[in-house]
């Protein structure tokens, strides 16, 4: 069994004396793991950095085996990632979420393309947080937990939408929220792709997407909590408010 694809490196950990086990998010084969022989060597180890774009050749005797990877670098994002704390925290959050929530060996070409575009913005701290917020929305949508922010769940109106129901993920207008307002999640205009998206709105958006990641997506995958890297990125972002 063998195939060749390109992808984004998510994780790398030492295996034995000289090898490494890596996880790669590939366009055609999804999140896929394999052994890289010599992965701890001076030649290969610098390639195996989270966020790196790599060409991979996977081989195994049987499809269900872990298999081995041969890797070739396509594009390093190390310089952008280490350009500042925000960039590094954002990279760590995105690769950690993908490793956490993507089903193994299941292609998700749409979110793969969006992830490529997101990581290519690393280091651009003025636009990265909004791009990342939209990426989280897309990730929820891709995995079956998309939010319906087009109209009020109660009235069907498209105006005055300021809340999101934590139960259904549907928008709620200010007119009907009433005494339930303090139990609803914020719906800043930037979540609907509207307005100038100031940092305070983006932070409110993170509260909403974070709720659905933590209370809807994560439980569907078992009992493990969301990766801490996501909270560290949001904390890093909110410090600049």
């Amino acid at each position: 069994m063998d195939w060749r694809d390109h992808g984004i490196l998510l994780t790398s950990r030492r295996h034995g004396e000289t090898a490494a086990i890596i996880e790669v998010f590939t366009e055609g084969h999804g999140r896929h793991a394999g052994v890289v022989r010599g992965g701890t060597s001076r030649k290969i180890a610098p390639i195996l950095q989270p966020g790196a774009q790599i060409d991979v050749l996977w081989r195994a005797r049987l499809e269900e085996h872990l298999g081995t990877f041969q890797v070739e670098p396509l594009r390093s994002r190390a310089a952008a990632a280490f350009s500042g704390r925000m960039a590094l925290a954002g990279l760590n959050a995105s690769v950690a979420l993908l490793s956490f929530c993507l089903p193994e060996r299941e292609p998700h070409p749409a979110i793969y393309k969006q992830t490529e575009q997101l990581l290519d913005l690393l280091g651009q701290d003025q636009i990265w947080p909004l791009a990342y917020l939209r990426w989280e929305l897309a990730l929820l949508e891709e995995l079956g937990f998309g939010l319906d922010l087009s109209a009020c769940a109660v009235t069907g109106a498209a105006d005055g939408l300021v809340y999101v129901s934590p139960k259904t993920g549907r928008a709620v207008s200010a007119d009907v929220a009433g005494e339930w307002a303090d139990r609803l999640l914020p719906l800043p205009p930037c979540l609907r792709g509207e307005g100038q998206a100031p940092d305070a709105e983006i932070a409110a958006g993170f509260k909403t997407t974070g709720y659905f990641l933590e209370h809807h997506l994560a439980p569907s995958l078992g009992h493990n909590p969301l990766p801490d890297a996501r909270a560290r990125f949001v904390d890093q972002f909110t410090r600049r408010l």
Side-chain angles (χ1 to χ4, degrees):
M1 304 296 300
D2 64 83
W3 49 259
R4 188 167 200 155
D5 206 344
H6 58 272
I8 299 161
L9 191 134
L10 302 180
T11 66
S12 176
R13 67 182 188 274
R14 194 181 188 98
H15 179 64
E17 290 295 322
T18 61
I21 294 178
I22 66 171
E23 271 191 332
V24 183
F25 180 26
T26 64
E27 183 171 17
H29 299 84
R31 180 174 66 88
H32 211 291
V35 176
V36 179
R37 295 193 178 100
T40 60
S41 69
R42 291 183 180 181
K43 178 182 177 181
I44 301 179
I47 299 171
L48 304 182
Q49 301 300 315
Q53 201 82 20
I54 55 177
D55 179 89
V56 293
L57 175 62
W58 181 81
R59 286 196 176 103
R61 192 168 64 84
L62 297 174
E63 187 174 0
E64 59 268 24
H65 287 179
L66 177 62
T68 62
F69 277 129
Q70 291 180 16
V71 301
E72 294 290 340
L74 294 176
R75 185 163 72 258
S76 171
R77 296 188 173 94
F82 286 99
S83 64
R85 292 182 179 180
M86 178 81 73
L88 184 59
L91 171 63
N92 289 338
S94 54
V95 297
L97 272 181
L98 290 169
S99 181
F100 173 77
C101 69
L102 286 180
E104 196 171 9
R105 302 189 179 191
E106 182 179 296
H108 286 275
I111 200 66
Y112 176 83
K113 288 293 188 186
Q114 286 176 277
T115 303
E116 269 194 336
Q117 294 166 3
L118 175 71
L119 296 185
D120 285 342
L121 296 175
L122 273 172
Q124 302 183 50
D125 289 355
Q126 293 306 308
I127 61 175
W128 166 270
L130 179 59
Y132 177 86
L133 176 63
R134 289 174 175 168
W135 176 82
E136 283 195 341
L137 277 176
L139 186 64
L140 286 166
E141 180 74 30
E142 182 77 9
L143 298 176
F145 297 93
L147 308 186
D148 182 357
L149 308 178
S150 59
C152 177
V154 180
T155 66
D159 299 323
L161 305 176
V162 294
Y163 299 111
V164 179
S165 165
K167 235 180 177 181
T168 66
R170 298 188 64 187
V172 178
S173 67
D175 293 340
V176 299
E179 63 184 30
W180 298 95
D182 60 348
R183 303 184 189 183
L184 301 174
L185 298 166
L187 174 51
C190 64
L191 270 186
R192 285 167 43 90
E194 300 171 350
Q196 297 299 310
D199 285 353
E201 280 190 12
I202 296 173
F206 284 146
K207 179 180 178 181
T208 298
T209 55
Y211 182 91
F212 285 94
L213 288 168
E214 182 178 355
H215 295 281
H216 290 256
L217 177 59
S220 76
L221 302 173
H223 301 289
N224 292 327
L226 283 181
D228 290 340
R230 198 264 177 187
R232 287 195 294 269
F233 166 66
V234 173
D235 180 65
Q236 185 68 43
F237 170 71
T238 54
R239 289 181 189 179
R240 78 182 198 182
L241 294 180

